Amino acid sequence: MSTCSVSKGCFVFKPSPKKRRVSQKTAIYFRDGKNGSEDSELRFDTCQSLWNQIKLETEQIQEDLNKQLLDNVVSFLRRSHSEFQGKTTEWTYRMKSREIPTAALVLGVNVTDHDLTFRNLSEALQNNITPYIALLEAKDCSGIKNLMQKLMGQLMNCSTDVASLEDEDYVQVSQNRIRCSMKSLVDWYESVTKKTDSETLSKKRTSSSKHQQSPPVVVIFKDMESFTTKVLQDFIVISSQHICELPLVLIFGIATSPMIIHSLLPHSVSSLLCIELFQSLSCKEHLSTVIDKLLLTSRFPFKLGEKVLQVLINIFLYHDFSVWNFIRGFQLCIVEHFYSQPLSVLCCQLADAKERVNSLSHDQCENVRRLPSFRRYVERQEAEKQIALLTADSFLKETTQKLLEDLHVYHENYVSVLRCLHVFTCSLPKYPLGKQIRELHCACLENRVWETEDYESSLQLARMLNKSDLETILQQCVEILVSSAGNEFDKAVEKLKEFLTQFQKLEAEAFQEQDVSVSSQKELQKKTDLYHLQKTLLELKDSRRSKKLTKFEMLRFEVVDYIDSLVRNYLVPADHKTLHEVVYFNTASVLRGHLNAAPRIALHTALNNPYNYLKNQALKSDGGSISNKAPDICIVYKLHLECGRLINLVDWLEAFSTVVTAVEEPNADTASSDQVDDIIHARFIRAVSELELLGFIKPSKQKTDHVARLTWGGC
């Protein structure tokens, strides 16, 4: 590569971004793990294949959920673009009033998910509207000069379909020579569009139809709240002066509320914007869709245990509302499961799992026998079968295949019945089992849901549903069971359809009973003697006391009891199923240690016991003893734990010197003693400065030769 610089210097050429390959070191580290076995390579490949499938599914989910938002933004830019092309009255009015078309995207507080949304938006705009797109962040735009440099740099480097490849070097050179101003940007835009129009007319390239003449220039402010008011004001005011020459469109990424626009910009500036509001999908709805597509399905064999899923959901709800971080946590669970569980080689599609069972070695069969769920299964069998399961590998493989098939069928049936139960409970008052299906899923994974008080209260409320709600719920349950992958719900579908038919018959009978009651009331209104009137009233009183259930109430009880029977049969907790350890990841403590950061505890552990991280045998120490082999900051930290509120630096230095020189010979040369003291003194000063930087101590104003301790309780 060559540069246009006249002066000599060091120039950095960053490589073009490429897809990172999985390094060989990562695979070797995975295969050499704590549970390394002969099938570690197969486990690694299975883990990679599973994650690739899940990644594609999550990208498709993101695309589907943002489709409406992106389509609305694209149509908004297309309208602005067409008005500029046609020079309509409305656009002329905008030019006269210097209004800039502005799209305000309210994306929510899940800021970490915004990058993916803006990336999809940029691709959609490049494919449909314009190649001239610039994404600006507040950290790169501290002033209007920096903003213009960043803006022109991105616009001049963007590649258009109609531009020739030979001019790329010229565009890069011209960026360095052009003065970054709005006038320079307008001149550049006019030159680019004129060149594009001439090439389009001469060559008639088919690719030019994607972008029409004079495409708009889109400037995206990814984090509008972080921009300074002065930068935004200056840019908007300057841009409004050139709106008749440059078809500029602004897009504001907003995390909080649209009112932030009026908070940051005065009325004189905000009046220069023609703002249209766009609202993205709620992050909670996004999470529900992700859980529904990834966990509540039999498509992916890998599952999360109740505690692990609760950790991920709690991090989402109480920390960042980031769906992307939830997916990253899910990826961590997959890697940890395949890394730590030797039998995760069977966590694949059922047909592949059966083939892999046949090729299990004797050691892997022993791993199956060690599983707690398999031990419980063996204890329930007869004596002869127990001996065969514990001694014969061939019989064990046959049983394992059957158990894996049962586990697969359990997952298919579980999801269908879970959805049916959610249909019944999601509309009940106060939502005893939760409003979202993920809450019901966690309750079913935790224990037998039918033994909980919330489930009993849900049944009581379900027994008071009206006829129309019951019919709607039953119809939804029929649709769920019909579309289910399981083959065990034919009788259940027939039974539910029978209930619907009985409800329809009750409606016809209700009209007849109404006619009979009207006729009986008319008979009471007729003239009669006192004896017959008293007899009739007593019969009515007795009938009310008996409180006989009506046909509708009896049928409603039957419906609820039948749903209860389905729940008891199919919603058994996963940890009660044999071989659930193969596909379920339940180690919540490992996940919590990776995702729930505890910096104070980690820092205390590192300083108090450096062996925990460095794994150096020389750093092992007994109890509260202080090893002179430890790093200086660790020695100083342990000594400061023994002090009170104020620490005398002289005493601290003497104690540090005593620990460091503990193993030195007593008859050392006196000539070198001063030099050693200077070195120890320097080491001590550096360690104390590091402790002050970490926030454990601070200088004291009471005594100049003392420092104040800031932390207590061993952390």
Side-chain angles (χ1 to χ4, degrees), residues 17 47 54 247 289 332 396 493 495 517 611 635 652 661:
C47 177
I54 293 176
T289 306
L332 177 61
L396 175 68
V493 171
K495 187 68 174 177
S517 62
Y611 173 77
I635 299 174
W652 202 2
T661 60

Side-chain angles (χ1 to χ4, degrees), residues 681-700:
H681 194 186
R683 289 167 58 184
F684 174 77
I685 293 175
R686 183 179 62 180
V688 171
S689 301
E690 291 173 351
L691 276 189
E692 182 180 358
L693 179 64
L694 292 175
F696 289 100
I697 59 173
K698 71 173 183 178
S700 175

Side-chain angles (χ1 to χ4, degrees), residues 11-240:
F11 300 92
V12 178
F13 297 95
K14 295 184 179 180
S16 58
K18 297 180 180 179
K19 291 185 177 179
R20 293 185 302 172
R21 297 181 179 179
V22 179
S23 62
Q24 192 68 18
K25 293 182 180 180
T26 305
I28 293 175
Y29 176 76
F30 186 92
R31 293 161 190 163
D32 296 340
K34 55 186 177 182
N35 287 318
S37 58
E38 63 271 15
D39 60 352
S40 57
E41 185 174 355
L42 182 59
R43 280 192 287 133
F44 178 77
D45 296 337
T46 306
C47 177
Q48 286 292 110
S49 175
L50 177 62
W51 169 242
N52 291 334
Q53 296 176 17
I54 293 176
K55 185 179 180 181
L56 291 176
E57 183 68 19
T58 54
E59 291 176 353
Q60 186 63 39
I61 293 172
Q62 180 78 16
E63 182 179 350
D64 295 341
L65 293 178
N66 288 335
K67 186 177 185 303
Q68 184 177 2
L69 173 67
L70 299 182
D71 292 345
N72 293 337
V73 176
V74 168
S75 63
F76 168 74
L77 266 74
R78 187 175 285 116
R79 290 197 307 271
S80 303
H81 174 56
S82 63
E83 290 161 359
F84 181 78
Q85 290 290 334
K87 304 296 182 182
T88 60
T89 306
E90 184 179 355
W91 180 255
T92 306
Y93 175 77
R94 284 185 183 177
M95 287 191 295
K96 290 180 180 179
S97 60
R98 298 173 183 175
E99 288 186 355
I100 305 174
T102 305
L105 303 185
V106 183
L107 302 177
V109 296
N110 50 330
V111 181
T112 51
D113 296 338
H114 294 181
D115 290 338
L116 184 59
T117 303
F118 284 120
R119 196 183 312 134
N120 295 336
L121 177 61
S122 301
E123 293 176 358
L125 295 180
Q126 287 178 352
N127 295 332
N128 298 281
I129 300 298
T130 175
Y132 309 119
I133 301 173
L135 285 88
L136 303 180
E137 296 184 69
K139 63 181 182 180
D140 302 325
C141 306
S142 57
I144 186 64
K145 182 179 179 180
N146 305 109
L147 188 148
M148 292 303 301
Q149 289 177 349
K150 197 72 176 178
L151 175 62
M152 295 189 68
Q154 292 190 24
L155 290 178
M156 289 184 175
N157 287 332
C158 65
S159 58
T160 60
D161 294 337
V162 295
S164 60
L165 296 175
E166 292 81 3
D167 295 337
E168 288 184 358
D169 294 336
Y170 170 75
V171 171
Q172 182 69 26
V173 173
S174 62
Q175 178 193 342
N176 297 328
R177 294 177 179 175
I178 291 177
R179 181 167 172 248
C180 294
S181 64
M182 188 60 68
K183 185 64 173 63
S184 303
L185 183 61
V186 172
D187 296 339
W188 167 83
Y189 179 78
E190 290 178 353
S191 63
V192 171
T193 52
K194 286 180 180 179
K195 182 179 179 181
T196 303
D197 295 342
S198 62
E199 290 184 356
T200 303
L201 294 174
S202 60
K203 298 181 179 180
K204 294 183 179 180
R205 299 176 61 177
T206 56
S207 61
S208 63
S209 60
K210 185 168 60 173
H211 300 140
Q212 300 179 4
Q213 297 179 0
S214 302
V217 176
V218 180
V219 182
I220 301 176
F221 295 85
K222 298 177 64 175
D223 46 351
M224 184 193 176
E225 290 95 339
S226 301
F227 280 85
T228 58
T229 303
K230 189 176 187 308
V231 172
L232 288 176
Q233 289 183 19
D234 294 345
F235 178 75
I236 293 172
V237 171
I238 296 173
S239 301
S240 64

Side-chain angles (χ1 to χ4, degrees), residues 311-312 315 319 325-326 328-330 332-333 589-598:
V311 168
L312 292 178
I315 293 175
H319 286 77
N325 287 344
F326 180 89
R328 283 299 186 185
F330 186 62
L332 177 61
C333 295
S589 58
V590 175
L591 181 66
R592 195 179 293 110
H594 286 300
L595 298 182
N596 280 355

Side-chain angles (χ1 to χ4, degrees), residues 21 144 324 331 380 394 407 543 554 589 623 677 697 710:
R21 297 181 179 179
I144 186 64
W324 179 246
Q331 180 187 11
R380 295 194 300 266
S394 59
L407 190 62
S543 63
M554 294 174 62
S589 58
D677 290 340
I697 59 173
L710 300 177

Side-chain angles (χ1 to χ4, degrees), residues 415-430:
V415 173
S416 300
V417 178
L418 182 72
R419 297 187 190 278
C420 291
L421 180 60
H422 176 65
V423 169
F424 261 88
T425 59
C426 66
S427 59
L428 297 178
K430 297 183 179 180

